[in-house]
Amino acid sequence: MSATPHAMMPEATHDEAARFAHVVGLKNFLMRQLEPKWRSLVDEKLTPQLAAEGRDAKGEYRSLERSLARLGAYRTWQQLTVSAQEEMWRSVGECVDRQLPELERRASDPTAGGSVRTDPQFRPPRYLSTVDIHLMPGGYADDRGEGDVRQGAVFDKAAALYHMGRNGGELNDVRGHTLVQHYFDRFPGMTPERILDMGCTVGHSTTAIAGYFPQAEVHGIDVGGALLRYARARSASLGASIHYSQQNAEQTDFADGSFDLVVSSAVLHETSFKALPRIMREAHRLLRPGGVMMHLEVPLRFDTASAWNRVRGLFEALHNNEPFWIGAQQADIAQTVRDAGFADVASGYQPAVRVADRAAEPRFTSTPGPVHVVWYLLSGVKR
Amino acid sequence: MTELDPEGLVFRDDPSKRSSFFAGQADVGRLLGMITALTGEIAMLRARLDTHERLAAEGGFDRTKVEAYRPDATALAERMADDQAMIGRVFKPLSDELDRLLEDPVVQKTLLETDR
Ligand SMILES: C[S@@+](CC[C@H](N)C(=O)[O-])C[C@H]1O[C@@H](n2cnc3c(N)ncnc32)[C@H](O)[C@@H]1O
């Protein structure tokens, strides 16, 4: 393993690093060796047989899932998938706990740039508080009080494993660069002076975005104090001064017209039908006239998903604790953006980039692609 | 149930409880969890052994050198391949069962009898 990418990243011992590599290997095995077999059973064997009976496997995905669950082998695969995820959090948690006092000491440096504002009265919305998303123990909002950075450190270390190197390695910032590339593709002459990242978690994307606009004042909001304290220290150690605050993206305390760029990255699919229009209206309120809103999302749609993808989606929703996973793929998010009053609304696919380039030929396209190769991008302008 | 609620959300019947795939036999789930953890420990031991062997090839070594050792990209790739093979051996009964299901028209027919 290489040196840590920034001062806050927990360091792994020899054995911890070996356990991490194994968790990645196990997830890889479940996803690349076993899952394709379920996919071919459902999409290549069962779907045509159902079609021959005049039935639609895609429409019947729920009862098909119950049917599969009668097989011990299916239940074993489900359990192993959950166990591998739990093992990831367990092994990362153990590594973080071993060095938590040191991480907290580093995060408390009063000379570090940026700021954190937490709110003891804050309550996360139901879609985040009912279950621990991705099975991360304690959930995004977990906070043990003043100075705590544990959940941030756990999330940061695990994210690099979770994405298995596909989101920019240990910095996990490909999505941030991709958002900026979308901005350059669509608005080549513009430079934002005040930027808000909604649902910033530990600032992976926020920090990448800030790097392109060194003069800008950059804010990030999320629901957990421990995430945000960690995020501030992480971005400071990467040379970015970012202002983090504990707020709900549906309703913030920033004044009207505070920003000229409002973004979110991989956040909307963790909200709800009710929250989507509220977040769009809030972004609209927060933008000055001429300001831009951009959301990056997983490039998956339910209508085009095969029967297996739907069954797998249901598993993700129920057992990897992603309650809005299916709802988000069914929602017409672009319509909520238009309804919120945005003009020049565009939606499509932005090829993932490791570095954004203002001079590059625009590659924003209507052609879908796989997750991590392209991201779904939705943007609009406040008139 | 697995219908989305009015907010588009779907949860397990009791979201406060962990997923349980073996009704009435929770120990089967726990056992699989333990096997999963055990493969992690085997992997860690294999990695440690690999470290010993690589350091031995370079001359003497002690605990400090072992702790400090980090595989380079080539060594890491070799370890990951070795780990995939170990995982493949441990979980072979499951993988074989899946291959069998793919060729078993009788079971497939029963799967078509859904409770729709
Ligand atoms: C998958 S993470 C996003 C990661 C990060 N934006 C990135 O690009 O790497 C989703 C985040 O959105 C946050 N989130 C979801 N709904 C929110 C809301 N209404 N207000 C604030 N944060 C929210 C969650 O707490 C979580 O940290």
Side-chain angles (χ1 to χ4, degrees):
Chain A
M1 299 262 142
S2 53
T4 56
H6 56 76
M8 288 305 294
M9 183 62 98
E11 280 171 42
T13 63
H14 177 281
D15 294 357
E16 286 164 353
R19 290 193 184 96
F20 295 163
H22 172 73
V23 166
V24 172
L26 192 58
K27 285 170 154 294
N28 206 43
F29 175 78
L30 292 166
M31 198 186 295
R32 306 235 161 89
Q33 301 299 322
L34 296 189
E35 191 181 324
K37 298 181 201 273
W38 291 117
R39 177 185 300 284
S40 42
L41 181 68
V42 171
D43 290 345
E44 287 158 28
K45 304 280 179 173
L46 303 183
T47 298
Q49 292 178 49
L50 285 167
E53 292 181 11
R55 291 161 64 188
D56 170 27
K58 287 167 67 162
E60 286 190 39
Y61 77 98
R62 287 195 186 86
S63 47
L64 208 49
E65 193 263 350
R66 286 194 290 277
S67 214
L68 286 168
R70 296 200 300 257
L71 300 173
Y74 189 71
R75 301 204 299 270
T76 301
W77 172 80
Q78 289 182 304
Q79 180 64 60
L80 289 176
T81 303
V82 166
S83 292
Q85 182 77 358
E86 290 177 342
E87 201 50 28
M88 176 182 83
W89 296 118
R90 196 201 54 72
S91 57
V92 168
E94 186 179 283
C95 165
V96 168
D97 287 336
R98 183 178 51 72
Q99 55 199 300
L100 194 54
E102 172 58 20
L103 293 174
E104 287 178 350
R105 194 191 57 73
R106 281 184 220 161
S108 64
D109 175 3
T111 64
S115 62
V116 192
R117 185 158 57 91
T118 56
D119 170 7
Q121 301 308 314
F122 185 84
R123 293 288 168 270
R126 184 175 84 97
Y127 47 83
L128 295 177
S129 64
T130 308
V131 289
D132 293 342
I133 296 201
H134 302 147
L135 299 171
M136 176 168 69
Y140 290 120
D142 187 70
D143 185 1
R144 298 163 189 205
E146 203 43 52
D148 180 32
V149 296
R150 185 181 187 278
Q151 203 66 319
V154 166
F155 182 89
D156 196 15
K157 193 77 204 170
L161 304 179
Y162 195 78
H163 293 296
M164 307 204 284
R166 295 167 303 182
N167 191 39
E170 296 226 296
L171 283 179
N172 252 300
D173 58 0
V174 164
R175 290 194 290 240
H177 294 289
T178 305
L179 269 163
V180 173
Q181 189 61 57
H182 181 71
Y183 188 73
F184 289 159
D185 277 13
R186 280 209 69 198
F187 311 100
M190 285 169 71
T191 298
E193 281 165 20
R194 285 175 57 93
I195 304 172
L196 173 64
D197 183 14
M198 293 173 149
C200 60
T201 324
V202 296
H204 285 146
S205 300
T206 332
T207 309
I209 296 166
Y212 291 91
F213 310 110
Q215 305 308 318
E217 182 177 314
V218 182
H219 291 256
I221 59 171
D222 210 298
V223 300
L227 291 182
L228 297 170
R229 286 181 212 105
Y230 181 91
R232 185 263 187 126
R234 179 190 178 277
S235 36
S237 91
L238 287 165
S241 294
I242 297 176
H243 304 285
Y244 293 97
S245 53
Q246 187 177 19
Q247 303 203 58
N248 187 334
E250 296 176 47
Q251 189 181 10
T252 70
D253 62 9
F254 299 113
D256 294 0
S258 291
F259 296 97
D260 32 29
L261 177 60
V262 174
V263 307
S264 84
S265 166
V267 172
L268 301 181
H269 74 272
E270 292 182 2
T271 64
S272 73
F273 286 152
K274 209 169 92 188
L276 285 174
R278 291 171 58 92
I279 290 171
M280 301 310 166
R281 283 197 298 271
E282 180 65 359
H284 194 265
R285 181 184 77 77
L286 293 177
L287 285 168
R288 61 154 176 83
V292 169
M293 175 181 78
M294 316 192 293
H295 298 284
L296 175 149
E297 258 310 323
V298 288
L300 299 173
R301 295 308 301 168
F302 201 73
D303 48 4
T304 55
S306 73
W308 168 253
N309 284 341
R310 291 178 180 203
V311 170
R312 183 67 182 79
L314 191 57
F315 177 83
E316 191 69 18
L318 292 174
H319 304 297
N320 202 32
N321 289 352
E322 280 268 24
F324 196 43
W325 186 249
I326 292 174
Q329 293 179 32
Q330 294 177 342
D332 186 351
I333 306 181
Q335 191 56 46
T336 66
V337 172
R338 283 184 219 101
D339 291 346
F342 283 92
D344 296 339
V345 176
S347 66
Y349 301 90
Q350 188 75 42
V353 292
R354 278 172 180 271
V355 182
D357 178 2
R358 206 187 266 277
E361 198 59 35
R363 288 166 66 210
F364 181 52
T365 165
S366 56
T367 312
V371 188
H372 288 290
V373 176
V374 302
W375 289 102
Y376 176 76
L377 252 299
L378 177 59
S379 52
V381 179
K382 174 167 175 172
R383 282 278 170 258
Chain B
M1 270 321 287
T2 54
E3 302 284 336
L4 305 190
D5 74 11
E7 291 189 42
L9 307 177
V10 59
F11 298 103
R12 292 188 295 283
D13 291 341
D14 183 350
S16 70
K17 291 220 176 76
R18 301 175 59 200
S19 290
S20 148
F21 304 106
F22 298 89
Q25 290 176 282
D27 285 318
V28 176
R30 281 192 280 271
L31 197 57
L32 288 167
M34 290 188 259
I35 291 173
T36 305
L38 205 52
T39 63
E41 294 312 290
I42 295 172
M44 182 273 285
L45 283 171
R46 292 177 71 95
R48 232 178 144 86
L49 199 55
D50 183 61
T51 298
H52 278 74
E53 287 166 2
R54 288 177 198 270
L55 289 175
E58 290 171 13
F61 64 91
D62 56 15
R63 187 183 284 270
T64 317
K65 273 198 181 150
V66 171
E67 294 295 349
Y69 178 83
R70 295 294 179 275
D72 62 19
T74 316
L76 187 64
E78 283 170 22
R79 276 188 188 182
M80 302 278 282
D82 183 68
D83 190 49
Q84 278 301 293
M86 185 269 284
I87 295 169
R89 286 191 295 274
V90 172
F91 294 109
K92 187 166 185 301
L94 176 59
S95 183
D96 286 352
E97 173 62 2
L98 275 168
D99 288 335
R100 200 190 62 73
L101 288 170
L102 278 165
E103 301 307 327
D104 186 339
V106 180
V107 175
Q108 289 175 21
K109 196 123 201 79
T110 68
L111 291 174
L112 304 182
E113 286 152 24
T114 61
D115 60 1
R116 71 196 155 124

